Amino acid sequence: MGLDAFVAVCCAIPVLLSLLLVRVAYVLCRSGLPPSKPHAAGLRCLIVLGSGEGHTAEMMNILTELQKDRFTPRYYVAALTDNMSLQKAEVYEKLLIQGDREKIIEDAKFMQIYRSRELANLTLPPLEQHCLLFCMLCG
């Protein structure tokens, strides 16, 4: 039994080394090339706003540094019980567009969701909620 295991390992090592070599060669060849598909249309951006402890203010500060033309559309999400966050986001988007209402509707979407504690914690943890929501919006 010991000899069979030794033979199996001796056969597996060259296969694994070959796979590793192919992967390294692929990464080295692709590292110098530009991305295969340029992002001319823009990238979707999910912005999760929060209530309390300055989370919305911090997100708005981050958004001021964001390349607005590259990250469109922007999806703003806030809790159903949060009365101020989406209003701040709408004001921010209006300042960006400066009165062009059609562009606001096109570039920004605003939505409210239930908080997990309001649903008796029957939902996924917050990180998984955000990922699932983003996948649903983008898919």
Side-chain angles (χ1 to χ4, degrees), residues 69-85:
D69 57 335
R70 184 169 179 205
F71 293 94
T72 58
R74 289 177 292 280
Y75 297 95
Y76 292 90
V77 179
L80 202 59
T81 56
D82 187 356
N83 298 323
M84 295 297 294
S85 294

Side-chain angles (χ1 to χ4, degrees), residues 47 56-68 74 76 92 95-96:
I47 302 158
T56 297
E58 189 65 30
M59 286 301 292
M60 299 313 281
N61 286 336
I62 292 171
L63 285 175
T64 58
E65 302 298 322
L66 188 70
Q67 297 174 1
K68 280 71 169 182
R74 289 177 292 280
Y76 292 90
Y92 175 75
L95 288 174
L96 282 179

Side-chain angles (χ1 to χ4, degrees), residues 37-56:
K37 187 169 77 171
H39 296 287
L43 301 170
R44 290 173 264 197
C45 184
L46 176 66
I47 302 158
V48 181
L49 304 173
S51 56
E53 299 184 30
H55 181 75
T56 297

Side-chain angles (χ1 to χ4, degrees), residues 1-14:
M1 186 74 175
L3 186 59
D4 291 337
F6 179 73
V7 170
V9 168
C10 288
C11 291
I13 287 176

